[in-house]
Structures are given as C-alpha cells and as structure tokens.
Amino acid sequence: MSSLTPEPVTLARHAMATRFEIVLHGANPVSLRAAGEEALNEVDRIEALLSVYRPTSEIAHVNARAARKPVRVSPEVFTLLERARDLSVATGGAFDITIAPLVRCWGFMGGTGAMPDPQAVAEARAKVGMHHVELDRRNFSVRFARNGVMLDLGAIGKGHAIEGAVELLRDAGVTSALLHGGTSTVHALGRQPDGEPWKIALERPPNSPESAAELLASIPLTDEAMSVSAVWGRSFENDGRRYGHVIDPRSGLPTEAALLCALVLPSATETDALSTALLTLGSTGVETIRALRPTARCLVVAGGSTVPQITSHGIDCQP
Ligand code: AMP
Ligand code: MG
C-alpha cells in the first residue's frame, strides 16, 4: 500500500457522444497516464467500429448492405453481435440491437424524441427482431432477412468499450482505477488505495417525492461494472406523459415498466445490455436477471407519476 502515490492520475475524453473519465492510482504517474491514454484510445477504436453515426464503421457498413448480401465483419464485431443475440434471447427480446427502426421512428436517432404516427410505429416494429439477422460464424458474415432492418448498438457499445479499456489497464499492470462513460456505465478495477471498495452514488429519478433522500444508494464495487439505464437519459413529454429512449421491442413503445435501474456484474458489456433489458422488463425483470446471472446485484425504480416502487436485490437503498 505504501508504494501507492496519494495523488491519482485523472484523464478524460469525449467519445460516443459523452464524456469518458478514468481515475488511476499507483506508484508511477507516468506509466499510469500512458495506460490511461491507451485505454481511452481503445474507446475511440471501438466507437469507430460500432457507431451508426459514422458511415465508415463496420455497423454502418452492415446496415447499408446486409439486406442485399452477406456482409463480412471483423471477428471482434461478429463475436459482439453473437453476444448481443444471446442476451436478446436470454431476456425474451427485451434487449434487442435491431431496435434501430423504432429508435428512429420515435425521433431518438440523433434527436431528443417526438410523437410518431401509430402507422409508422407498426411499420417500424415489423422490422425489429433478432430473427431478421443471420449470423454466419464460418464466414464472419451478417445478413438481414428483409429490407429495413438496422442495427443500433447504443445499449451495449459503451459497455463493450469500457470492457476493452479495462482489459488494457489490467494488461498494463494497473490494480486500482475507476473508469466510466457518461456515468451510465462504470467499471471499478480493484479497490481504492485505502483498501475500501469503490463507491458509486446513485441519484433518485427527478420526479421522486421531496421527502425522499436525494441519494438513492451508494453502491460498493470491486472488480465489477455497474450500468444505469433511465427513462430520463433522453426523453420528451407529451400530454403529461414522459417518453424515454429505451423502447420495448415487443410493443414498439417507450418503456413504462421502470423509471430507472442499475445492475452490477463483472462484465461491463453485460451490465450495459442487461440494464437496458431491465428497464424494459421492470421489476419482474429482476428474477429474469437473477436466473441468468445469479451473482448479479440490481435495482429497479418503477411507478410512473405515483410513489416510486423500488425492487432491489443485493443493493441497499436509502428510505
Ligand atoms: P442504455 O442507455 O444503455 O439503456 O441504451 C439506450 C439506447 O439503446 C437507446 O438510446 C437506443 O439507442 C438503444 N435502445 C433503445 N431501446 C433498446 C432495447 N430495447 N434494446 C436494445 N437497445 C435499445
Ligand atoms: Mg445499456
């Protein structure tokens, strides 16, 4: 412990339309900084592979061509697509990277959302579902079974980037660090220099009763990731109702099953994908997640305009 410097090294970078930050503790600030820069470069590299907003990304390439012919992707992207498919199956389709036509229809693709025409929702919904995506491992190729299918890795990409960055930090010998992307996915590497777990503060959703404490929970993490998904992340109001950017692929409508949820697991890729699934499933999703990953800790705040209902497993909440 005595070899650890008291002053941490901190780095930040804008990527994936948000701010990534890393705090690193260790004996050698120069090598910590180098490791941190390399980790942030990894985030940039993964954004360039996955972003639907970059015409040169592998995913944009797939979206533009896979309805006409099989499109080859890198083994890394192929493996991530397989992982996304498996998580989609495991969540009964609550998490689904083919959500893009619905995200666009609800005005959330690069925008802050708007009420769509019901007919447009029905049309978009028909293009959503992993059964429209054929993954061929022999050729590392992707093919869409119909026109109009489009992938959006917005609910898993940040987690994958953080997982990749954490691997580089570990390889560089870093034993104590905290890395987050836009505060929605965080990974705690090791413990704080004083031996305590890292602690992440989780705020209540904005419509909570005034009597409630502002802090919902303080969540200890050691070699674990946590993701938070929320209706408020990106949303709009219409006729007194709030519509958020997480859409239930089964109904085609923004989820109303929960307002906020948090999930802790060793893998940031999984916490990212599964916290989005949990927001779609609501409190009943806690059992789905526990059946899938028995060690998961999670929290769901549901309740719309009434008193928020909190369902939690392994996370202590403030009253
Ligand atoms: P997150 O903030 O990780 O919960 O991801 C939300 C983003 O994922 C949205 O802005 C959409 O781009 C996309 N998305 C929305 N609904 C879903 C869903 N049910 N499954 C997968 N991705 C989704
Ligand atoms: Mg997510």
Side-chain angles (χ1 to χ4, degrees), residues 6 14 24 41 53 62 107 115 117 120 150 173 181 201 212 222 232 240 276 280:
H14 184 85
L24 306 110
N41 292 344
Y53 303 107
V62 166
M115 283 310 280
D117 176 48
M150 189 180 171
T222 306
W232 265 267
T276 306
T280 308

Side-chain angles (χ1 to χ4, degrees), residues 236-317:
F236 68 96
E237 212 179 274
N238 185 271
D239 260 348
R241 271 170 72 176
R242 185 153 290 275
Y243 298 89
H245 63 136
V246 173
I247 298 170
D248 188 335
R250 301 161 301 180
S251 65
L253 310 175
T255 180
E256 290 189 297
L259 298 171
L260 175 104
C261 64
L263 176 64
V264 178
L265 278 169
S267 154
T269 307
E270 290 202 345
T271 56
D272 194 358
L274 292 174
S275 73
T276 306
L278 199 49
L279 197 77
T280 308
L281 295 167
S283 53
T284 59
V286 171
E287 284 314 309
T288 311
I289 300 293
R290 288 184 63 191
L292 184 65
R293 296 284 180 266
T295 61
R297 290 183 279 150
C298 57
L299 174 81
V300 176
V301 182
S305 55
T306 59
V307 180
Q309 303 282 313
I310 300 177
T311 310
S312 93
H313 174 73
I315 293 178
D316 291 332
C317 297

Side-chain angles (χ1 to χ4, degrees), residues 94-97 99 103 152 154-155 229 234 245-247 249 272 276 280:
F95 166 77
D96 192 326
I97 57 167
I99 198 76
V103 172
D152 168 11
S229 285
R234 211 154 5 116
H245 63 136
V246 173
I247 298 170
D272 194 358
T276 306
T280 308

Side-chain angles (χ1 to χ4, degrees), residues 57-245:
S57 80
E58 289 197 26
I59 294 301
H61 198 73
V62 166
N63 283 340
R65 293 168 184 81
R68 292 198 305 274
K69 56 175 190 189
V71 177
R72 256 179 110 90
V73 293
S74 60
E76 175 182 358
V77 167
F78 190 86
T79 302
L80 182 62
L81 293 177
E82 281 186 328
R83 223 171 158 188
R85 177 197 55 199
D86 294 348
L87 291 168
S88 182
V89 170
T91 58
F95 166 77
D96 192 326
I97 57 167
T98 66
I99 198 76
L102 283 167
V103 172
R104 174 179 275 165
C105 178
W106 281 91
F108 288 116
M109 193 151 282
T112 51
M115 283 310 280
D117 176 48
Q119 180 62 28
V121 174
E123 280 166 21
R125 217 184 125 203
K127 297 171 189 159
V128 171
M130 279 308 284
H131 58 284
H132 297 311
V133 181
E134 294 157 15
L135 298 176
D136 178 357
R137 180 159 264 283
R138 271 179 313 152
N139 299 307
F140 289 121
S141 69
V142 186
R143 178 164 195 154
F144 297 155
R146 57 159 293 165
N147 271 327
V149 177
M150 189 180 171
L151 305 179
D152 168 11
L153 274 65
I156 191 171
K158 245 190 270 174
H160 179 67
I162 286 186
E163 194 162 310
V166 165
E167 235 164 80
L168 289 184
L169 292 177
R170 278 209 189 96
D171 289 350
V174 175
T175 56
S176 172
L178 192 74
L179 162 59
H180 79 86
T183 71
S184 66
T185 293
V186 55
H187 189 105
L189 185 54
R191 291 169 174 260
Q192 298 190 66
D194 62 4
E196 285 292 306
W198 293 96
K199 289 194 186 69
I200 309 299
L202 187 63
E203 284 177 16
R204 267 174 211 284
N207 74 331
S208 302
E210 287 193 1
S211 58
E214 220 169 275
L215 196 69
L216 182 57
S218 169
I219 302 169
L221 300 181
T222 306
D223 284 319
E224 286 164 314
M226 179 173 92
S227 292
V228 176
S229 285
V231 166
W232 265 267
R234 211 154 5 116
S235 64
F236 68 96
E237 212 179 274
N238 185 271
D239 260 348
R241 271 170 72 176
R242 185 153 290 275
Y243 298 89
H245 63 136

